Structure formats: structure tokens, C-alpha cells
Amino acid sequence: MSPKPWRESWTVQDKRVDLAIVGAGFSGPILAAKIAEKGVKPGNGDPLAIALIDAGPYYKGAARPGYGSTLRRQMFTNLEGRHQQAYLWNNDVSLAKIVGGSSLHWAGQAFLPTPVDYLHWQQETGVDWTRDNLLPAVNEIRREFNVHPMPEDVNTPGNRLFFDVASKLGYAPERTVVARRNCVYCGFCVPPMMCKYDSRASTLWTYIPRAERAGVEILADTFVEKILIETTGGGGIARGLVCRTEGSNYQISADKILVCGGYVNTPLLLMRSGYGPDQWRGNPIVVENPNIGKHIDGHPFGPAVSASFDEPLGDGDLGSIVGYHIIDDIRSDGEGRLLIHGNFGVSGLPSRDARHPMAPPFGREHKEFMREQGILRTGSLRLRVTKASGRWAMDPDGKLLYGGDHTLTLRRFREGAEKAREILERMGARRITPPAEVKMTPQTRGEHRVGSCRAGRDPETSVVNPYFESHDVENLLVCDGSVIPRVPSGPSGTPQASITVFAADRIIERHFSR
């Protein structure tokens, strides 16, 4: 019999809490832990009653980085299959339905905010999210997630060759930083794989244990149907939640509601609750804000330039999955920023290695390629325009559509491909694949998306203020990737976690202090 996820024993009935947090992914557990540890009921100073709610299961177990808990070692496998996909929503790693959320599925590449990111956050909507203001929060995430460069002893000869060649060409390659502790370097840190050893940093074994020790009640396998919003003049007031679990519906009354569902699920929940644009699936909107589901920024999917070499670039012994990256700017404001990410001489999931662009297509040659670990003689330079000019927006049916002037983005992808080819040629590549043609259409997909409920000073252009409070609905707060006004230069996990730590202090100061 398969192990069952842990579940607190409680009776399904109407509940009342001081704070209900919807979503236990990257942001929700951080907020739950910090508010429970430091916050109190205003006036009397009593401990807070906090519920942390998630639609997915909770695989409970003490944190043992490098070993993993008994339950998680059984459930989080190194085999790619439908089990891993079961916790994803719409096949999107950033929308995992499981306690721990996308912090279980991410690759652990821990890019922290860059100076340009802080600048863009302030310029976009006027938030005061400066480097100085966020520094304590960034340092906390650096400690809690053990953010550090990959150690040199798991570097590959291919990655070192890339570093030497790129440096001689005038670039400034940096060793990519990761969020891991006691890593065994199995090589399977690729989405949507979850770490069975608890090595890759996750809120499941960093902030969740802190939250529970501080008295937070975790309600797993609980889907929040809607927020109960009453209209008050030109706005509204949030009173509670309608939840569904095991076929039963019940309500939670809460003094404050904090939504942390992610860049898609957060606006969808708000719109289901009657808060959003005036047109959405024909449902009545009782409090209007046209910015909900709009202004979504992210990294459009870009191509990789792959190459094969005569000699192996690694021995396949240790599974370091990240090498070096280059940040290439052409403008002082960072627009059109190009990220070139190199990885050489490493192997990973056989199902993915078999489909590598440099692998023979079929037959005996393909068998030999796999048998002889031909993947170790290959490498790729991944291209990512991290400050693209386009934006996504939800249409009235909840579908994401991409639009904007893509001239600069397409130009930078072309320039990136030329730079990548030059680097690979200097590295001695025997064969180089041309990158796939990049097309920007309304159906263009992306990654690391943010901004669907962005923060800002002006209610006309944003959803929450710089203190994460809704402009329009009293007692309603939002903090997750959806509030970030511009996508950061790299993956959004650690920047989002840093902003969440920053948010916790602001929320405590304004709502949960004496």
C-alpha cells in the first residue's frame, strides 16, 4: 500500500482564525512561520491562530538534508513519470499543488536580486523595494536556503573550458549559485523532479517545521473555492473563505486573509471571489480592479545552442547540473538583458539525454550514444532574454496571452545565438546545432512569470500597495510571485522568497503587533 500523506486529525466544520494563508508553496510557509513567531493579536498580545491552507498533500517528516525523511524518500523518486506530474497544475512547475509547492519542483538555481532588478521594481510601480530595504531579507534566505556557488570539486572539465574561453573573449562568467545542503550530486535537480534527499532547499523542510512549532495549523488537501467578500461603498471587505475537502464544503472566518497562490492561481481565486476585471467568464465582479491578471512579466522560452566534442567533457561521476552563466547587457537600464547559461559534460535523466539535439535520431548509432554516455561529449548554451519587452495577460476565460513589441527581444536572441556559436567554436566544438527559430506569438510560453497582481503605489495601475495590502478590499493581503512588478534577472524563486521575508516584517508591523 502506498504511504499516505500526513493529515492533522480534525473535524470538518466551520472554523475561525486570526489569519488564513491560502497556498503553502514558496511564500505561504515563510509568512506563516515568521508571523506566528513574531506576531501577536493586536491589543492583548495573545498568540495568533493561523491556518496555512493548500490544495495538495502534505508529506510530513523532520528535515534531514542529505538523507530525507522515510515518507519523502518513498514518494519523491529519481524516476521521471506521471507520479511527479500529479502535483503540477496545467503541467506548470511553478503551480505545484503540494505543501511546499514549486519549492519542491524548482532546480535550486538561486539567483539573488541584482541591482537592475531593484531598480526595475522601483521604476515600474514606485514600490520602495530597494537593495538596502531588502538586504536583511535577502541575507535570511541566503542562510535558510544555504545559497552558495557550486563547489569546484564537482565542476566538470567542460565547464572550466567554457569559463576560460568566455573570459578570454571578454565576458565575465560567474559560477551559478545553488540552494542546497549536504547534496549527494545525484544529477536529478531538474524540474519537475523532487529531491528525495531533502538536499535541495524547500519551504517544506525549512519554514514549515518552524511554522508548526509556532502553532500554525496546516490544512492540506483543502481547495479554497472563494474568498467571502462583502461590498462596502466603492470597495469590499474580506470576511472568510469557502473551502472544499474530501467532498465537503465548509467556511473559515478570518480577521485577515493572505493569498499566496502564485501568479496564476492567485488572480484566478480573486476573480472567482468577485474581485477583478469587469469581464471574467461571465461571473459577477463585485469589486473591480482591471489590473488583476494583467501586467504579467517573465522570461519567454528561448533556444539553446548545442555542440558535440571529440573528447568527453566530464566523467559522469558526480551530477553537477549547473555550470557558469554570463549576463550580457547592451543598455544601462538593463532592458534586453541576455543570460547565457553554459553546462558541459554532465548527464541527467536518460529520457532527456536520449532526446538531446546532438544525439543520433534512432537506430544503432543512438544505442551506442546512450551506451557509451555520448552525452558527456556534448554541451549547451541556453539563451534567455531576462528583460524582454513583452507581457502576458489573462483573457476573460483565464487563458494567458502574450503581447507587446518584440523587436528588442528577437534581436537579443539572434545576438545571443551568434555569441554562443563563437564561444563553442573557440572551445573546439566538432559540430554545432543552429538554434531553433524564435517566434513571439500570443501563444508564446514562458517561465519565472510574475506580476499578475503587482504591487504599486497607484491603485490605477496595481493591485496591492507596497505593504502587500489590497487597494480595494479591506483585510485582504497578497504576497507571492504575482506581486513582483518585474521579473528578476534569473529564476524567480529566491528573489520571491526574499520579498516574502521582507513582506512578513511589514505585515507584522501593520497588523500583528501590540
Side-chain angles (χ1 to χ4, degrees):
M1 181 179 294
S2 299
K4 297 293 184 182
W6 175 89
R7 169 126 182 171
E8 183 80 39
S9 178
W10 52 276
T11 303
V12 177
Q13 59 184 0
D14 289 354
K15 299 172 65 68
R16 194 192 185 293
V17 295
D18 300 305
L19 172 64
I21 301 176
V22 183
F26 250 114
S27 292
I30 296 174
L31 291 158
K34 294 187 70 65
I35 294 174
E37 290 169 345
K38 298 181 179 180
V40 295
K41 291 184 180 180
N44 60 22
D46 288 346
L48 293 165
I50 300 175
L52 177 60
I53 308 164
D54 198 90
Y58 177 18
Y59 293 109
K60 186 178 175 65
R64 301 178 68 228
Y67 300 93
S69 74
T70 301
L71 179 58
R72 290 194 290 265
R73 283 176 66 89
Q74 294 178 65
M75 300 306 291
F76 299 171
T77 74
N78 285 341
L79 299 175
E80 188 176 34
R82 296 181 65 185
H83 173 77
Q84 298 286 337
Q85 301 288 331
Y87 307 114
L88 304 186
W89 186 85
N90 197 29
N91 202 34
D92 190 330
V93 169
S94 66
L95 303 176
K97 289 186 177 180
I98 185 171
V99 174
S102 59
S103 77
L104 293 172
H105 285 286
W106 72 321
Q109 294 183 19
F111 284 68
L112 292 167
T114 70
V116 164
D117 298 332
Y118 294 113
L119 178 66
H120 282 173
W121 294 340
Q122 296 164 70
Q123 290 181 337
E124 183 80 4
T125 59
V127 294
D128 60 341
W129 300 355
T130 65
R131 181 184 182 279
D132 288 343
N133 284 345
L134 263 75
L135 184 58
V138 170
N139 287 337
E140 177 173 329
I141 290 302
R142 196 191 301 271
R143 292 191 306 270
E144 290 289 331
F145 282 13
N146 196 37
V147 175
H148 63 283
M150 286 291 286
E152 184 59 28
D153 60 359
V154 298
N155 206 358
T156 65
N159 285 335
R160 295 190 191 103
L161 177 62
F162 166 75
F163 177 87
D164 293 339
V165 169
S167 297
K168 290 176 182 177
L169 288 172
Y171 299 106
E174 301 177 45
R175 189 80 163 114
T176 298
V177 294
V178 294
R180 303 180 189 174
R181 195 181 303 275
N182 294 341
C183 184
V184 299
Y185 302 106
C186 66
F188 297 113
C189 281
V190 289
M193 308 301 287
M194 293 180 278
C195 180
K196 66 186 299 178
Y197 306 111
D198 286 2
S199 293
R200 193 169 60 207
S202 165
T203 57
L204 184 60
W205 43 85
T206 53
Y207 286 93
I208 285 283
R210 287 174 53 179
E212 287 197 289
R213 287 194 297 269
V216 173
E217 182 179 15
I218 298 176
L219 306 182
D221 301 305
T222 301
F223 182 78
V224 176
E225 297 275 6
K226 67 176 182 178
I227 304 166
L228 296 171
I229 299 176
E230 298 177 4
T231 56
T232 57
I237 183 168
R239 296 296 192 187
L241 305 171
V242 175
C243 302
R244 183 181 77 241
T245 182
E246 297 178 353
S248 299
N249 289 342
Y250 71 104
Q251 292 186 13
I252 296 178
S253 299
D255 292 337
K256 301 291 180 184
I257 295 169
L258 179 48
V259 182
C260 309
Y263 82 96
V264 165
N265 284 327
T266 287
L268 287 178
L269 173 58
L270 297 182
M271 290 188 280
R272 284 200 308 270
S273 306
Y275 179 32
D278 59 358
Q279 294 293 324
W280 185 71
R281 295 185 179 179
N283 289 354
I285 296 295
V286 296
V287 180
E288 185 179 349
N289 187 318
N291 299 296
I292 293 175
K294 303 298 190 293
H295 312 296
I296 301 173
D297 195 14
H299 302 151
F301 283 137
V305 183
S306 299
S308 62
F309 296 79
D310 291 328
E311 298 297 329
L313 302 176
D315 59 13
D317 183 29
L318 293 173
S320 167
I321 67 150
V322 292
Y324 294 90
H325 66 270
I326 295 168
I327 293 178
D328 184 76
D329 283 322
I330 56 172
R331 293 169 41 160
S332 59
D333 62 3
E335 294 297 324
R337 170 168 283 187
L338 179 68
L339 185 71
I340 303 175
H341 207 151
N343 209 30
F344 296 88
V346 298
S347 59
L349 297 172
S351 60
R352 301 190 187 191
D353 290 351
R355 303 193 301 270
H356 192 275
M358 303 310 300
F362 59 86
R364 184 178 298 276
E365 289 184 350
H366 188 273
K367 287 185 176 181
E368 291 298 319
F369 177 87
M370 296 299 293
R371 182 182 300 116
E372 297 177 359
Q373 283 194 288
I375 195 72
L376 298 178
R377 296 193 299 272
T378 69
S380 298
L381 291 178
R382 168 79 186 277
L383 307 178
R384 183 183 285 148
V385 177
T386 68
K387 300 295 182 180
S389 51
R391 295 291 175 100
W392 286 267
M394 283 187 182
D395 71 4
D397 292 322
K399 182 179 180 180
L400 291 180
L401 299 177
Y402 191 55
D405 181 354
H406 308 302
T407 304
L408 178 60
T409 301
L410 292 171
R411 172 190 156 197
R412 293 297 281 153
F413 273 131
R414 289 193 297 269
E415 293 173 352
E418 294 171 1
K419 294 173 186 292
R421 172 171 284 276
E422 180 183 19
I423 293 171
L424 293 170
E425 289 175 347
R426 296 289 186 93
M427 289 176 64
R430 173 166 52 87
R431 184 163 66 95
I432 302 173
T433 63
E437 183 182 359
V438 178
K439 295 181 179 179
M440 297 291 150
T441 71
Q443 287 71 44
T444 294
R445 297 189 64 197
E447 55 191 346
H448 312 135
R449 288 183 281 201
V450 301
S452 55
C453 294
R454 67 181 183 178
R457 294 192 175 279
D458 186 356
E460 296 297 319
T461 60
S462 58
V463 178
V464 299
N465 64 25
Y467 294 89
F468 307 90
E469 302 158 336
S470 165
H471 287 304
D472 315 287
V473 179
E474 189 179 345
N475 297 337
L476 178 65
L477 302 99
V478 178
C479 182
D480 52 27
S482 72
V483 305
I484 302 176
R486 286 291 305 269
V487 70
S489 297
S492 56
T494 40
Q496 177 184 329
S498 301
I499 289 171
T500 303
V501 171
F502 171 71
D505 289 335
R506 289 202 154 180
I507 292 170
I508 292 169
E509 177 185 0
R510 290 170 71 91
H511 300 283
F512 299 113
S513 59
R514 289 181 184 271

